[in-house]
Amino acid sequence: METFPQIVSVDDHTVEPAHVWQDRLPARYREAGPRVVRAPIEEMTFTGGRFAPRMGTPGGDGPLADWWVYEDLRRPLTRLDTAVGCDRDEIRLEGITYDQMRPGSFRVPDRLADMDTGHVRSALCFPTFPRFCGQTFTEARDRELALLCVRAYNDWMVEEWCGPQAGGRLIPLTLIPLWDAGLAAAEVRRNAARGVRAVCFSEIPPHLGLPSVHTGAWDPFLAACAETGTVIAMHIGSSSKMPSTSADAPPAVGSTLTFANCCFSLVDWLMSGVLDRFPALRIMYAEGQIGWIPYVLERADTVWRENRGWAGVAGKVRRPPSELFADHVYGCFFDDAFGLRNLDAIGVGNVLYETDYPHSDSTWPRSREIAEAQMGHLAPDVVERVVRGNAVDLLGLTPDGLWAG
């Protein structure tokens, strides 16, 4: 393709700099708030979908990593957090320091330079230390401090990561205090007032001990999102439970099945009645890929049509699930040739593109080459919509793909 559109990536990641919370929390909370300590790794495993690191004594022997320390949590930076630039066969589950990662992972000027290399115009970035929807703060004991941490992250995201030096090329994605729907609604409105149009949420809240979307518990939050045009963004793993088959399954099993939580979550939303009650609501599934969507919609329509009398959705879900999907839901992908061959069955207007920088799955720096190879059969106007146009419309960007604040 002679002129391939510049990418608007709806799923990249930021590795938060060490100063985020130390600079923004009230002085009395800084010692208790998230901070970085350099220390050795005693042990680190990832089996059955469970990540289990153990921190050694600072100054002790062993391979060093930079660790986030917060309440009882000890969470190291790992090579999987920022793998771009490394040979695929050399990527291991190992702890690293900031000095060992690509600077574009946490520094805005370096990120913009890497975006230029990857043919990326602008990017929406999910968090790392807070986890994909702020589970870290949801699990904390001190809820007053946790709320301050959520707000501090959002202020850093809007004012620094997506601030003037980013030139509109980094698009803010904020967190909510998941433990209180009223506080969550207030945080959505606070950030919407400064131009934010996307917020993180859990794909399967009950896995976090929270109410499901089948209850009315989330209504204040959902109403705030609908009223402000804030997109609900759900990343794989945002339920803190990656798909797996057994406690001893290698990470390859979960990596292959990452789309499964999105599949379960989508059916939850389609059968919840929420999308009928909040017609302006929009949701997106980051890193879930899209090839699985047509059959799920086909099956959901069959169940709704044939079984709704006994299946608990009569009178609640008023339209076929596939129609609800078309009006409310966006699937996101970075490498899904099968999905692109079946794009008509998904909907040209319901897919968004991503590069997953700086994770090990990322297509960077070959995002353009991979997209061109997989989209060669599509008309130029369709490619334009998939690569950037749908995201521009959904996130309220300028025609040039920038966040205007």
Side-chain angles (χ1 to χ4, degrees):
M1 200 172 291
E2 283 188 21
T3 56
F4 192 80
Q6 281 199 305
I7 297 163
V8 176
S9 175
V10 297
D11 170 31
D12 286 356
H13 299 265
T14 177
V15 176
E16 299 80 17
H19 67 263
V20 171
W21 288 277
Q22 293 300 299
D23 284 359
R24 287 168 178 76
L25 288 174
R28 70 183 186 278
Y29 279 118
R30 285 177 193 152
E31 184 62 28
R35 59 202 182 280
V36 172
V37 174
R38 186 161 291 183
I41 292 174
E42 285 192 356
E43 185 181 28
M44 187 159 57
T45 59
F46 186 25
T47 56
R50 178 177 171 77
F51 177 47
R54 192 164 71 239
M55 177 178 167
T57 303
D61 295 332
L64 292 177
D66 283 334
W67 294 74
W68 281 103
V69 175
Y70 173 54
E71 293 193 339
D72 296 333
L73 178 64
R74 303 293 183 268
R75 198 281 194 193
L77 298 177
T78 76
R79 177 55 64 202
L80 300 187
D81 292 327
T82 171
V84 291
C86 299
D87 183 274
R88 295 277 175 155
D89 290 335
E90 295 178 359
I91 297 171
R92 301 282 187 270
L93 179 62
E94 60 182 351
I96 61 171
T97 67
Y98 282 97
D99 302 328
Q100 294 170 296
M101 71 174 67
R102 193 170 184 86
S105 303
F106 62 97
R107 291 182 187 148
V108 172
D110 297 282
R111 172 60 65 92
L112 299 182
D114 281 353
M115 289 165 64
D116 288 340
T117 300
H119 200 69
V120 175
R121 178 58 167 161
S122 52
L124 184 81
C125 296
F126 283 82
T128 297
F129 169 70
R131 312 218 297 278
F132 294 143
C133 66
Q135 303 102 298
T136 296
F137 303 124
T138 303
E139 295 167 358
R141 293 188 303 273
D142 187 336
R143 287 289 169 81
E144 181 179 356
L145 173 56
L147 179 59
L148 291 171
C149 285
V150 167
R151 290 174 175 165
Y153 176 87
N154 292 340
D155 291 344
W156 169 80
M157 168 62 62
V158 174
E159 297 165 7
E160 187 172 332
W161 183 253
C162 302
Q165 67 173 333
R169 296 183 64 188
L170 295 172
I171 307 161
L173 174 63
T174 53
L175 301 175
I176 54 169
L178 286 162
W179 59 90
D180 187 308
L183 290 175
E187 190 63 12
V188 167
R189 291 191 171 94
R190 182 176 84 93
N191 291 306
R194 47 185 177 174
V196 176
R197 291 294 177 267
V199 64
C200 300
F201 192 64
S202 173
E203 58 201 351
I204 308 176
H207 286 344
L208 305 179
L210 300 169
S212 78
V213 295
H214 300 287
T215 71
W218 295 107
D219 281 9
F221 164 67
L222 299 175
C225 291
E227 291 164 13
T228 59
T230 299
V231 180
I232 297 175
M234 293 173 282
H235 195 284
I236 58 163
S238 57
S239 58
S240 296
K241 186 177 181 181
M242 293 297 288
S244 191
T245 55
S246 63
D248 59 351
V253 173
S255 185
T256 302
L257 296 172
T258 49
F259 73 92
N261 279 358
C262 296
C263 175
F264 299 156
S265 176
L266 174 61
V267 177
D268 246 1
W269 282 79
L270 294 177
M271 298 299 189
S272 68
V274 165
L275 302 178
D276 287 294
R277 291 192 293 110
F278 296 98
L281 207 59
R282 299 293 182 269
I283 66 176
M284 56 170 267
Y285 287 100
E287 207 172 326
Q289 312 304 332
I290 59 175
W292 54 272
I293 292 174
Y295 173 70
V296 170
L297 295 180
E298 178 182 294
R299 177 59 185 165
D301 278 358
T302 298
V303 170
W304 179 83
R305 184 179 62 250
E306 303 294 340
N307 299 331
R308 63 179 179 267
W310 63 264
V313 294
K316 182 171 69 172
V317 180
R318 296 189 288 272
R319 289 191 291 155
S322 60
E323 291 185 14
L324 294 173
F325 177 89
D327 289 345
H328 296 273
V329 185
Y330 296 80
C332 310
F333 76 100
F334 55 81
D335 188 3
D336 191 340
F338 180 83
L340 287 168
R341 291 195 301 272
N342 294 274
L343 190 58
D344 287 344
I346 302 165
V348 171
N350 294 88
V351 295
L352 307 169
Y353 195 57
E354 56 192 23
T355 75
D356 197 31
Y357 179 107
H359 285 181
S360 61
D361 259 344
S362 178
T363 55
W364 187 91
R366 299 180 58 249
S367 303
R368 173 179 178 168
E369 297 168 53
I370 291 171
E372 284 184 312
Q374 294 187 350
M375 298 184 197
H377 65 290
L378 300 175
D381 63 316
V382 173
V383 174
E384 170 76 17
R385 290 186 68 182
V386 169
V387 170
R388 62 179 307 282
N390 290 336
V392 166
D393 293 342
L394 180 65
L395 298 171
L397 306 179
T398 68
D400 197 28
L402 300 177
W403 178 61

